[in-house]
């Protein structure tokens, strides 16, 4: 027995030594492999990678004198570039379809890293800013109580914003005061609503039990419950007229009282008086004709699409019976047009999986704003952007394949990613503008501008060399692999909003009213205009960059026409 035990002990010792030896060998092999890969990367970096490779130049372009400058530096075989050429074997490996595909994949990964780096860099700044605000900003006004909050029949209709991280009572009150509302209501700890009339249905005080996301100890409503505060003290010192926008001089409709729901007759009527009256009535338009003030919305009778010479309104302020009485002055009040602000998820899963595809910086966020307000349904996203979620894009939090959203934002352009969708709205924007917009987003977020230092850094030319080819390949791959496409040019959408938006809504198989579309037009910008110091007479593109981008423009234009789509707008014509 002792002998058998001794043998077992000896065997276990040998096994232990063998395991130790194998583990050490495995670690050494892994270290050697890591060193070898690092050396290979360094060698490749020292040789330089062709980041400024261009798409091959079509034969037709070569006939009209458009050539690739690199072909003069390093002579080589010329390639044809049509849609069918993407399926043919390449003569030069650097310009082959395989290179474009792999390059596109690399750029997608690069952009994701840049995006996450940007959000992680901004997080400490936002948190620090909130901490400073938390200790200095105390809410004013009176707490009015807890009320029932019905998302469909809201009393406080002016939804201002959502903020999952730093919502406070003071923040909501200030936002409502800026828009000339009397009451601020908070729900779910992160949602802010405004209005001029208290909700009718009161709730039990204990039902408003959710703490504000950005202020411990403060109550910001509950589930379907509003904590309502007055903002009268804040409004007392506010200059309300600063938010009144002059819309222009328009021909007055035949029957003003039928067109506008509210009116006021006032001697010595001023713009401020009319705007204040209409704001209290919660109307976005203040219309003045003589001593008459009317409040309402843009409608089919009064669409605000055909303005006239301002001189025709010169007599409007003095007498309604003169020639000036046929015209009226129109002002935009601080109140939001709420006829199109209600949005929800689809009640049943969509049978058609639709993409809203674009190159970064092509206006995808703005297009989502228009689609959501026109259809009343949330849009989804292939990515999760907390900043956009806080702006009210609740579809950001939903899984992109849930099919509960009307369409899904994506910047992807690989074959697999494209073929997952049944159809797509392909949004295209001038590459010069797209590149600048995405560079601004990279360094200053969705609403800011990059600094002069950013533009003059080495990252800008590297960015153009890398992203310019992606702009072209993004369109080419969607044209090649997309099953059903609606091509929309950003510039056309901006210039002819209602016709183009109608086309997009019909493509999404949704029926909308004319008044809702007019509401979208009235709220066309939403919260997506960039703020901050914009460079004046700034030209960031060198001639070499222009030559590169211009070739891509011509290539994409030819590809679109090859698929029987209209070509690129005239303003894309090479500089």
């Amino acid at each position: 027995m002792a002998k058998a035990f001794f043998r077992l002990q000896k065997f276990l010792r040998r096994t232990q030594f063998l395991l130790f030896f194998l583990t050490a060998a495995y670690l050494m092999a892994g270290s050697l492999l890591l060193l070898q890969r690092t050396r290979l990367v360094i060698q490749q970096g020292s040789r330089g990678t062709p980041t400024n490779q261009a798409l091959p130049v079509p034969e037709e372009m070569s006939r009209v004198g458009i050539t690739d400058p690199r072909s003069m530096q390093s002579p080589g075989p010329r390639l044809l570039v049509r849609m069918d050429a993407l399926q043919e074997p390449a003569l030069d490996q650097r310009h082959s379809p395989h290179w474009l595909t792999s390059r596109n994949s690399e750029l997608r990964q690069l952009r994701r890293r840049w995006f996450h780096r940007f959000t992680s860099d901004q997080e400490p700044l936002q948190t620090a800013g909130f901490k400073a605000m938390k200790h200095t900003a105390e809410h004013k006004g009176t707490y009015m109580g807890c009320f029932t909050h019905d998302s469909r029949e809201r009393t406080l209709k002016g939804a201002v914003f959502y903020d999952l991280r730093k919502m406070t009572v003071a923040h909501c009150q200030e936002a409502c005061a800026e828009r000339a509302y009397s009451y601020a209501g908070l729900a779910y700890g992160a949602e802010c609503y405004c209005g001029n009339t208290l909700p009718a249905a009161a709730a039990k005080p204990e039902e408003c039990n959710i703490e504000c996301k950005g202020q411990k100890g403060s109550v910001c409503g509950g589930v379907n419950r509003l904590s309502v505060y007055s903002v009268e003290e804040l409004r007392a010192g506010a200059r309300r007229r600063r938010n009144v926008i002059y819309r222009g001089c328009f021909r007055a409709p035949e029957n003003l009282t039928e067109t506008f729901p509210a009116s006021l007759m006032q001697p010595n009527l001023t713009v401020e008086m009319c705007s204040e009256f209409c704001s209290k009535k919660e109307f976005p338009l203040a219309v003045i004709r003589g001593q008459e003030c009317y409040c309402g919305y843009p409608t089919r009778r009064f669409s605000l699409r055909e303005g006239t010479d301002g001189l025709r309104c010169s007599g409007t302020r003095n007498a309604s019976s003169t020639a000036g009485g046929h015209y009226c002055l129109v002002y935009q009040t601080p109140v939001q047009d709420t006829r199109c602000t209600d949005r929800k998820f689809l009640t049943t899963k969509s049978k058609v999986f639709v993409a809203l595809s674009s190159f970064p910086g092509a206006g995808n966020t703005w297009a989502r704003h228009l689609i959501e307000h026109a259809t009343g349904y949330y849009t989804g996203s292939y990515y999760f952007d907390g900043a956009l979620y806080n702006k009210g894009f609740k579809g950001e939090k939903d899984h992109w394949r849930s099919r509960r959203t009307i369409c899904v934002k994506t910047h992807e352009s690989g074959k697999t990613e494209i073929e997952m969708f049944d159809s797509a709205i392909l949004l295209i924007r001038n590459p010069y503008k797209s590149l600048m917009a995405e560079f601004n987003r990279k360094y200053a977020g969705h609403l800011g501008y990059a600094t002069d230092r950013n533009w003059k850094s080495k990252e800008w030319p590297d960015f153009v060399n890398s992203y310019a080819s992606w702009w072209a390949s993004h369109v080419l791959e969607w044209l090649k692999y997309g099953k059903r496409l609606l091509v929309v040019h950003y510039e056309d959408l901006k210039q002819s909003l209602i016709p183009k938006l109608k086309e997009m809504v019909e493509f999404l198989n949704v029926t909308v009213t004319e008044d809702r579309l007019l509401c979208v037009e009235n709220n066309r910008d939403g919260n997506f205009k960039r703020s901050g110091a914009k460079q004046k007479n700034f030209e960031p593109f060198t001639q070499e960059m222009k030559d590169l981008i211009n070739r891509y423009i011509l290539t994409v234009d030819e590809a679109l026409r090859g698929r029987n789509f209209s070509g690129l707008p005239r303003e894309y014509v090479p500089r």
Side-chain angles (χ1 to χ4, degrees):
M1 184 69 180
K3 190 174 182 181
F5 179 79
F6 176 78
R7 287 179 179 177
L8 177 62
Q9 188 179 24
K10 189 175 180 181
F11 173 76
L12 290 174
R13 285 179 180 174
R14 287 179 180 177
T15 304
Q16 187 178 10
F17 176 79
L18 181 61
L19 288 173
F20 174 80
F21 175 80
L22 290 175
T23 302
Y26 177 80
L27 293 174
M28 290 177 65
S31 300
L32 290 172
L33 180 60
L34 180 61
L35 289 171
Q36 185 178 10
R37 291 182 66 182
T38 304
R39 182 182 177 189
L40 179 61
V41 170
I42 293 173
Q43 288 176 347
Q44 289 177 344
S46 63
R47 295 188 192 116
T49 56
T51 58
N52 59 344
Q53 302 269 358
L55 290 175
V57 181
E59 187 178 31
E60 289 81 356
M61 296 180 197
S62 64
R63 293 198 197 106
V64 296
I66 299 175
T67 59
D68 187 341
R70 288 187 300 278
S71 65
M72 293 182 283
Q73 298 173 2
S74 53
R78 188 179 301 276
L79 301 181
L80 297 176
V81 180
R82 296 192 183 97
M83 291 305 296
D84 56 351
L86 293 176
Q87 302 173 354
E88 297 298 324
L91 299 176
D92 187 339
Q93 188 66 26
R94 292 180 307 167
H95 289 149
S96 66
H98 176 72
W99 178 85
L100 281 173
T101 303
S102 62
R103 183 63 177 157
N104 202 7
S105 177
E106 291 171 10
L107 289 170
R108 290 199 300 272
Q109 296 299 327
L110 176 65
R111 182 182 182 277
R112 286 173 184 171
R113 288 198 298 272
W114 274 345
F115 175 79
H116 289 299
R117 187 184 75 180
F118 171 77
T119 53
S120 62
D121 289 346
Q122 292 296 311
E123 186 70 29
L125 295 176
Q126 293 173 347
T127 304
F130 157 65
K131 286 179 179 177
M133 177 192 70
K134 177 178 163 184
H135 293 292
T136 58
E138 295 182 0
H139 68 82
K140 300 178 181 179
T142 306
Y143 179 62
M144 307 305 295
C146 185
F147 295 85
T148 300
H149 175 61
D150 188 338
S151 58
R152 289 173 295 179
E153 297 294 333
R154 294 199 311 264
T155 306
L156 301 182
K157 296 180 179 180
V160 179
F161 66 99
Y162 310 87
D163 200 322
L164 290 178
R165 289 196 302 271
K166 53 185 181 181
M167 177 62 75
T168 66
V169 176
H171 203 172
C172 182
Q173 286 180 316
E174 289 166 4
C176 293
E178 285 291 321
R179 291 159 176 80
Y181 288 106
S182 300
Y183 298 103
L186 298 105
Y188 300 99
E191 300 183 1
C192 175
Y193 299 89
C194 305
N196 287 328
T197 305
L198 279 174
K204 296 178 181 179
E206 59 270 20
E207 292 179 0
C208 286
N209 52 15
I210 298 181
E211 189 176 67
C212 298
K213 298 294 184 182
Q215 190 174 20
K216 291 183 178 180
S218 295
V219 178
C220 285
V223 178
N224 294 324
R225 295 294 182 266
L226 279 173
S227 295
V228 180
Y229 298 82
S230 69
V231 293
E232 293 173 358
E233 292 182 34
L234 292 175
R235 295 183 69 210
R239 295 176 58 194
R240 299 182 187 89
R241 189 171 174 178
R242 64 182 173 180
N243 288 328
V244 177
I245 301 170
Y246 175 62
R247 294 293 298 271
C249 176
F250 297 86
R251 186 174 186 86
E254 292 183 5
N255 194 324
L256 286 166
T257 54
E258 287 186 6
T259 304
F260 301 111
S263 61
L264 170 71
M265 295 289 292
Q266 180 71 43
N268 301 318
L269 182 71
T270 64
V271 173
E272 188 169 6
M273 288 178 187
C274 187
S275 173
E276 181 70 13
F277 173 75
C278 294
S279 294
K280 285 183 178 179
K281 295 291 184 181
E282 298 190 19
F283 289 108
L285 294 185
V287 181
I288 298 176
R289 188 184 70 167
Q291 304 304 311
E292 304 168 2
C293 171
Y294 297 91
C295 312
Y297 303 99
T299 61
R300 282 176 289 180
R301 289 183 179 180
F302 196 66
S303 65
L304 299 184
R305 290 179 186 167
E306 297 180 2
T308 187
D309 189 349
L311 294 175
R312 293 182 180 271
C313 286
S314 59
T316 302
R317 297 289 302 280
N318 301 319
S320 59
S321 59
T322 62
H326 296 293
Y327 299 90
C328 53
L329 295 165
V330 180
Y331 295 86
Q332 185 92 28
T333 73
V335 174
Q336 185 181 20
D337 190 339
T338 58
R339 294 174 298 169
C340 57
T341 54
D342 58 306
R343 288 161 290 166
K344 60 183 179 180
F345 289 102
L346 296 173
T347 52
T348 58
K349 289 187 177 182
S350 174
K351 296 180 180 179
V352 181
F353 197 28
V354 186
L356 176 62
S357 177
S358 73
F359 175 78
N364 199 303
T365 301
W366 180 56
R368 289 176 68 187
H369 161 75
L370 297 175
I371 290 171
E372 287 195 3
H373 285 75
T375 64
Y377 295 110
Y378 288 117
T379 58
S381 176
Y382 188 81
Y383 321 94
F384 173 73
D385 189 334
L388 292 182
Y389 182 83
N390 288 338
K391 289 287 185 182
F393 288 99
K394 290 192 174 182
E396 285 285 329
K397 194 176 180 181
D398 210 52
H399 192 276
W400 66 280
R401 299 196 75 168
S402 69
R403 291 179 180 259
R404 297 201 309 150
T405 54
I406 194 68
C407 61
V408 177
K409 163 191 172 178
T410 180
H411 299 312
E412 304 301 306
S413 53
K415 180 177 183 293
T416 303
E417 289 83 354
I418 294 172
E419 291 182 343
M420 288 189 298
F421 294 96
D422 301 315
S423 58
I425 297 174
L426 180 59
L427 185 63
I428 305 174
R429 187 182 185 185
N430 189 319
Y432 288 101
K433 301 290 180 61
S434 292
L435 290 168
M436 292 182 69
E438 177 61 7
F439 194 72
N440 279 321
R441 189 210 63 82
K442 176 188 170 186
Y443 283 104
H446 291 281
L447 302 177
Y449 289 97
T451 64
D452 289 340
R453 182 179 178 182
N454 298 137
W455 292 105
K456 293 175 182 177
S457 69
K458 185 178 181 296
E459 285 207 40
W460 169 240
D462 290 344
F463 180 88
V464 172
N465 287 334
S466 297
Y467 270 47
S469 61
W470 184 12
W471 176 85
S473 61
H474 179 273
V475 178
L476 295 180
E477 292 196 13
W478 276 94
L479 289 175
K480 182 177 180 181
Y481 300 116
K483 299 173 186 175
R484 176 174 169 259
L485 292 178
L486 172 66
V487 176
V488 176
H489 298 291
Y490 172 90
E491 293 75 16
D492 293 343
L493 182 61
K494 195 172 181 180
Q495 186 175 359
S496 305
L497 180 65
I498 295 298
K500 285 296 176 184
L501 188 55
K502 275 184 177 179
E503 192 177 351
M504 294 164 70
V505 169
E506 288 174 3
F507 184 81
L508 294 169
N509 198 29
V510 178
T511 303
V512 297
T513 63
E514 186 72 17
D515 283 350
R516 190 167 186 114
L517 288 173
L518 287 169
C519 171
V520 177
E521 187 176 42
N522 206 33
N523 293 329
R524 62 185 298 156
D525 291 327
N527 298 317
F528 306 106
K529 273 197 169 183
R530 294 188 181 275
S531 59
K534 185 177 181 180
Q535 296 84 359
K536 296 180 180 179
N537 300 321
F538 180 63
E539 178 54 77
F541 297 97
T542 64
Q543 189 57 49
E544 183 180 359
M545 293 177 186
K546 293 178 183 178
D547 292 339
L548 185 69
I549 296 169
N550 290 344
R551 287 193 300 275
Y552 295 147
I553 290 173
L554 294 171
T555 302
V556 169
D557 182 72
E558 183 189 13
L560 285 167
R561 296 178 189 278
R563 279 286 305 270
N564 296 321
F565 291 107
S566 59
L568 296 174
R570 286 190 174 184
E571 73 167 69
Y572 287 43
V573 173
R575 299 186 181 189

